[in-house]
Amino acid sequence: MPTPDTALGPLRVLDFSRVLAGPFATMLLADLGATVVKVERPGTGDDTRSWGPPYDASGQATYFQSVNRNKTSVALDLGDPDDLAKARALARDADVVVENFRPGVMDRLGLGPGALCAADPGLVYCSVTGFGSGGGAALPGYDLLIQAVGGLMSITGDPGGEPQKVGVALVDVLAGLFASVGILAALRHRDRTGEGQRVEIDLLSSLLAALVNQGSAYTSGGAVPARMGNRHPSIAPYELVPCADHEIALAVGNDRQFAALCEVIGLPELAGQTRFATNPARVEHRDELRALLEEHFGRRPAAEWAAELSAAGVPAGEVNDVAGAFALAERLGLNPTVDLFRPDGTSVRLTRNPIGLSATPPRYETAPPDDPGQLTLPLPGWS
């Protein structure tokens, strides 16, 4: 049960969602103190319980572990009348219900927003879908599919190569973040008025919103962005440059930083040349600039360049693998991981919640549930 010093202490969340977007949202709420009960299929549980390798030292799929800490699990077969009645009873006592079934499924089960919100006008009901509840209601919403049809793959990868997906299910993560923000906004409204409401999140709209400058290039400027590899459409140099051993990332965002870059590489005169003096000019002449940078950066290792550029206030860094990224966070004192212990004494190491709160910080109380159905009904303290 949540402790009194958590941000969402009394909140009860019933989580019917599976895979990533919904579970990510409910884990964020659980980290902040909500009591989250995850409803899973008897026997198999959430799909991601079987999505491996890799597995942790206890044989648990690391995919499932990534989005299900601080939750408890109950196994219910929603096709069984008795289990369905139990699910409805749980829903009647919840503050928030989260689900990501295809539109119409929960309505047919008597667990949709119409039935539950009529019984409890204060309920916040969050639905996560792939393409909304209108014309795209029947379409399956998988992250790869959304990245493809939503335009993200068209701007990811080398100009002459095939479209590429991002190396993580980014659209699901974005949708989970939007869902958690929507839920918290609805709860704030309920605090003021006593009225709950429905929160609707779809993956396609989440991706389109997250295209930010690339999206507005089309909506406001009429330009259709294309793949540019690691280059930026509006900033230069903002890309990877090869060094003597491997690449360095340069993220030069203004003229002052560019002048500092030129000083470090021993070409201070470049900053005063018309073709490079301003960012629009550098974008126009990016190929000429790239050739000069490659010539000079190729003379020394990336680590040496990164150290000197960082000391001069130029955003630059080596290209890390995931292990290197966690090591960097450790060196910077960001404490990127937390260890959570299971009832059998084993533990799992997970990525820390990045939200810093001075009075009600995230909690890390329980590891993801080992098996679906660890709870028995009725749940003590739920009603």
Side-chain angles (χ1 to χ4, degrees):
M1 296 299 294
T3 53
D5 58 349
T6 59
L8 302 179
L11 198 70
R12 294 163 298 186
V13 178
L14 187 59
D15 182 11
F16 290 98
S17 67
R18 300 139 296 144
V19 187
L20 183 51
F24 185 67
T26 56
M27 183 181 72
L28 296 180
L29 301 177
D31 287 350
L32 297 174
T35 297
V36 177
V37 174
K38 182 178 180 67
V39 178
E40 298 190 70
R41 292 187 302 270
T44 56
D46 191 303
D47 295 351
T48 58
R49 287 186 180 274
S50 63
W51 284 11
Y55 304 98
D56 67 13
S58 296
Q60 302 286 334
T62 59
Y63 202 119
F64 178 83
Q65 303 295 301
S66 69
V67 289
N68 285 293
R69 66 168 169 250
N70 287 328
K71 302 178 187 179
T72 51
S73 170
V74 60
L76 295 174
D77 178 0
L78 299 182
D80 176 82
D82 290 338
D83 279 4
L84 182 58
K86 294 175 183 176
R88 291 170 178 165
L90 286 171
R92 284 196 295 270
D93 290 327
D95 298 291
V96 178
V97 168
V98 179
E99 59 90 15
N100 63 351
F101 288 95
R102 288 192 186 185
V105 171
M106 293 293 271
D107 290 324
R108 290 194 295 272
L109 294 171
L111 292 168
L116 296 186
C117 293
D120 178 8
L123 179 68
V124 172
Y125 192 106
C126 178
S127 297
V128 181
T129 62
F131 296 91
S133 57
L139 299 176
Y142 284 88
D143 186 274
L144 173 65
L145 178 61
I146 307 295
Q147 289 199 34
V149 302
L152 183 58
M153 290 176 67
S154 77
I155 58 173
T156 306
D158 291 326
E162 67 176 6
Q164 294 286 320
K165 72 177 182 68
V166 180
V168 71
L170 183 64
V171 181
D172 278 321
V173 173
L174 291 167
L177 287 169
F178 283 128
S180 62
V181 172
I183 290 167
L184 292 175
L187 289 169
R188 175 62 177 142
H189 172 77
R190 190 183 74 168
D191 288 343
R192 295 199 312 269
T193 67
E195 299 175 352
Q197 61 182 295
R198 188 173 184 187
V199 179
E200 295 184 87
I201 303 292
D202 71 85
L203 272 62
L204 179 57
S205 295
S206 296
L207 172 54
L208 295 178
L211 290 177
V212 288
N213 60 297
Q214 297 282 46
S216 65
Y218 169 69
T219 61
S220 301
V224 179
R227 294 188 297 284
M228 297 182 64
N230 290 310
R231 290 182 168 185
H232 194 288
S234 307
I235 309 172
Y238 198 98
E239 57 195 288
L240 302 187
V241 177
C243 301
D245 50 357
H246 52 80
E247 292 82 8
I248 189 173
L250 297 178
V252 178
N254 57 51
D255 297 339
R256 179 195 62 76
Q257 292 172 353
F258 181 69
L261 166 67
C262 294
E263 288 285 348
V264 170
I265 66 175
L267 295 174
E269 66 277 8
L270 291 184
Q273 294 182 9
T274 303
R275 58 180 177 162
F276 302 137
T278 65
N279 179 69
R282 291 192 293 276
V283 171
E284 181 181 356
H285 298 279
R286 66 165 81 236
D287 290 336
E288 300 167 56
L289 178 58
R290 168 81 181 197
L292 290 167
L293 294 176
E294 286 186 359
E295 177 184 351
H296 282 73
F297 276 91
R299 298 171 182 173
R300 295 172 58 191
E304 293 182 10
W305 284 122
E308 289 192 27
L309 290 167
S310 296
V314 179
E318 297 182 79
V319 181
N320 286 324
D321 60 14
V322 173
F326 276 89
L328 172 62
E330 288 283 3
R331 291 197 301 273
L332 297 177
L334 297 177
N335 302 318
T337 61
V338 292
D339 291 314
L340 294 173
F341 290 90
R342 301 187 176 100
D344 64 3
T346 62
S347 66
V348 58
R349 178 164 294 178
L350 299 172
T351 307
R352 178 180 64 84
N353 188 314
I355 299 172
L357 295 172
S358 60
T360 55
R363 60 171 183 150
Y364 305 100
E365 294 187 355
T366 59
D370 286 350
D371 300 300
Q374 67 179 161
L375 294 179
T376 56
L377 299 178
L379 302 183
W382 178 262
S383 5

